[in-house]
Amino acid sequence: MEIKPRDRILQAASELFYRQGIKATGVDAIAALAGSNKMSLYKHFPSKDDLVIAFLRKRDADFRAWFVAQIDGRAEHPQDKLLAVFDVIGEWLAIPEFRGCAFINAAAEFPLEGNPVHQVSAEFYDQFRVYIGTLAGECGIASPENLALQLSLLVEGAIVSEQMKRHSGAAEQAKQAASVLIQNSLNASNTTY
């Protein structure tokens, strides 16, 4: 089955944006890798910003589906799923193609909070925290949003640490810290009832 021109362009942009950075990647390079031209690129994406947003939205949908499937395939109980988050992240950090988190990278390249690229990146982590908070709530934790923020910070820190120094063991260290936070949250929730 032939890939549609729009999808080829988005695929090429995704590869280059992740590997080289958004600002370092020109539309000529994207069009060339997609086997297209700038006219076709702009027909499907009126601006580079539109292409960047499409890249991030697709990355969000793809990553979220993959991530949740990985977690669900490893654990049934919400507490075990919370810890499995760090196993899945650890495996992702270990792949040779790892270049950091596309959303953290994009937010760093577009640091102003009002920028649409920054906003889409922030939305990704907002949704990630909601997912973690839902699991924490299913464990009976009294303040699931607090634990979700704490665990999310551990994940984000592990990602950046691994990006800065490969094979750092950051995901395993984050998992150990997460285990303590989860247990403390469970203990605190059990004493309030």
Side-chain angles (χ1 to χ4, degrees):
M1 180 162 82
E2 185 176 331
I3 300 173
K4 296 177 182 177
R6 182 187 191 283
D7 294 336
R8 278 197 329 268
I9 292 166
L10 185 54
Q11 185 176 6
S14 297
E15 181 182 325
L16 292 173
F17 288 157
Y18 186 66
R19 189 174 64 216
Q20 299 176 172
I22 295 167
K23 290 184 177 180
T25 301
V27 292
D28 289 328
I30 295 167
L33 184 60
S36 186
N37 57 49
K38 283 175 31 175
M39 180 183 273
S40 180
L41 185 148
Y42 286 123
K43 174 184 170 196
H44 296 287
F45 303 96
S47 71
K48 183 178 175 184
D49 286 348
D50 291 324
L51 181 55
V52 173
I53 297 297
F55 151 66
L56 290 171
R57 295 252 186 246
K58 181 168 180 5
R59 185 94 175 189
D60 179 0
D62 292 349
F63 188 85
R64 189 184 323 232
W66 171 81
F67 188 77
V68 170
Q70 291 294 310
I71 299 299
D72 289 347
R74 291 167 194 256
E76 290 184 32
H77 188 274
Q79 183 177 344
D80 296 332
K81 288 183 178 189
L82 287 172
L83 289 173
V85 164
F86 294 89
D87 296 329
V88 173
I89 291 294
E91 290 174 13
W92 173 59
L93 299 180
I95 64 171
E97 303 82 18
F98 176 76
R99 300 286 180 270
C101 170
F103 302 96
I104 293 172
N105 295 347
E109 286 196 64
F110 297 86
L112 298 178
E113 287 186 24
N115 183 287
V117 172
H118 190 95
Q119 290 174 340
V120 170
S121 298
E123 287 170 14
F124 172 82
Y125 276 100
D126 289 344
Q127 290 303 311
F128 182 76
R129 286 184 193 110
V130 167
Y131 172 71
I132 298 297
T134 299
L135 292 177
E138 290 172 4
C139 292
I141 291 173
S143 299
E145 299 83 15
N146 290 344
L147 181 61
L149 178 57
Q150 293 167 349
L151 297 183
S152 181
L153 290 171
L154 288 173
V155 167
E156 293 165 34
I159 291 167
V160 172
S161 181
E162 187 66 23
Q163 185 174 6
M164 299 296 288
K165 184 175 193 275
R166 298 292 286 155
H167 313 293
S168 67
E172 183 54 40
Q173 294 300 315
K175 182 178 180 181
Q176 289 176 25
S179 181
V180 171
L181 290 170
I182 293 166
Q183 194 57 55
N184 286 346
S185 294
L186 286 169
N187 290 344
S189 296
N190 290 335
T191 59
T192 60
Y193 291 115

